[in-house]
Amino acid sequence: MDRIREVKKLTDNPFLNLYQFSTVQRSGKHSNYYVSSRRKQSDALKAVTHDAQPDGVIIYGVYGENKDKLVLVRQYRYPVGDYVYEFPAGLVEPGEDMMQAGIREMFEETGLTFRPIDADEYQRPFFTSVGMTDESCGTCFGYCEGTPTNANQEDSEDIQVVIADRAECRRILREENVAIMCAYMMMHFIASAGDPLKFIEEK
């Protein structure tokens, strides 16, 4: 059964828009459902195209000679009016593939050089918050080197670069605001021994 009968675009903003779906519930009742999306037109929504291309990229960067630290950012986020710990991340620009976006975003946000590895199915796009948006992000896994700096950030960004070992990750999870995707991956990092990316080679 076609659950979505009509899609209406409600806003016209540069990076994020609101859409109204006229839907049919499982019982047959008609209702409206509201969806935010980075797609600029109704016919490009993933509910319409089922296109799996990622809107953005999240970068899981391992740092240090002993591969025992993660590269995080502490970024001011307007929706919560506070700083939130996250992985470096950003939108995939037109003409860019996911790995290129990961390398660029890591440098822009942290000043670090990022060397991605092929993570096969682990790096394919997954949805972020499917109750409210069709946004999907892929994850780039790899290793970072260099000296952290915020000199390459945009004026609109308020980002502090954080190089965190396992003890600091525990503290952050216990005491700070953390994006949920980052939180789960930090838990994996804490539970791992040695190189936290070795699970990719063992798949």
Side-chain angles (χ1 to χ4, degrees), residues 6-145:
E6 183 183 7
V7 178
K8 183 186 297 184
K9 187 179 183 185
L10 302 180
T11 61
D12 190 21
N13 299 315
F15 299 109
L16 188 68
N17 282 288
L18 183 65
Y19 295 84
Q20 177 182 294
F21 288 12
S22 298
T23 68
V24 180
Q25 298 178 2
R26 187 178 51 165
S27 65
K29 180 181 177 181
H30 291 253
S31 65
N32 291 325
Y33 196 94
Y34 297 90
V35 175
S36 61
S37 179
R38 297 194 182 279
R39 302 298 169 102
K40 298 185 183 302
Q41 301 297 332
S42 300
D43 59 4
L45 293 171
K46 292 178 184 174
V48 176
T49 66
H50 303 286
D51 176 16
Q53 293 301 308
D55 300 290
V57 62
I58 301 165
I59 308 125
Y60 187 113
V62 176
Y63 187 86
E65 185 177 340
N66 296 323
K67 301 177 181 176
D68 58 352
K69 297 177 178 68
L70 288 183
V71 179
L72 307 174
V73 293
R74 181 176 179 265
Q75 182 166 193
Y76 187 85
R77 290 298 195 180
Y78 291 109
V80 296
D82 205 348
Y83 289 88
V84 178
Y85 282 80
E86 310 170 51
F87 282 113
L91 298 178
V92 178
E93 295 182 352
E96 213 176 29
D97 67 31
M98 203 175 74
M99 292 301 179
Q100 291 170 329
I103 293 167
R104 175 182 54 77
E105 285 289 349
M106 179 64 81
F107 180 74
E108 290 176 357
E109 293 193 357
T110 72
L112 299 175
T113 299
F114 178 64
R115 293 183 294 106
I117 61 173
D118 182 10
D120 199 18
E121 70 268 21
Y122 295 134
Q123 64 196 26
R124 72 185 186 90
F126 294 108
F127 293 103
T128 57
S129 183
V130 290
M132 61 176 285
T133 180
D134 67 350
E135 180 188 60
S136 65
C137 291
T139 305
C140 291
F141 298 88
Y143 302 95
C144 294
E145 56 190 25

Side-chain angles (χ1 to χ4, degrees), residues 171-190:
R171 186 201 67 78
I172 291 168
L173 288 172
R174 194 167 53 242
E175 301 176 7
E176 306 286 355
N177 297 322
V178 186
I180 192 165
M181 291 177 289
C182 180
Y184 288 144
M185 296 167 82
M186 286 168 66
M187 293 174 198
H188 162 266
F189 170 66
I190 291 167

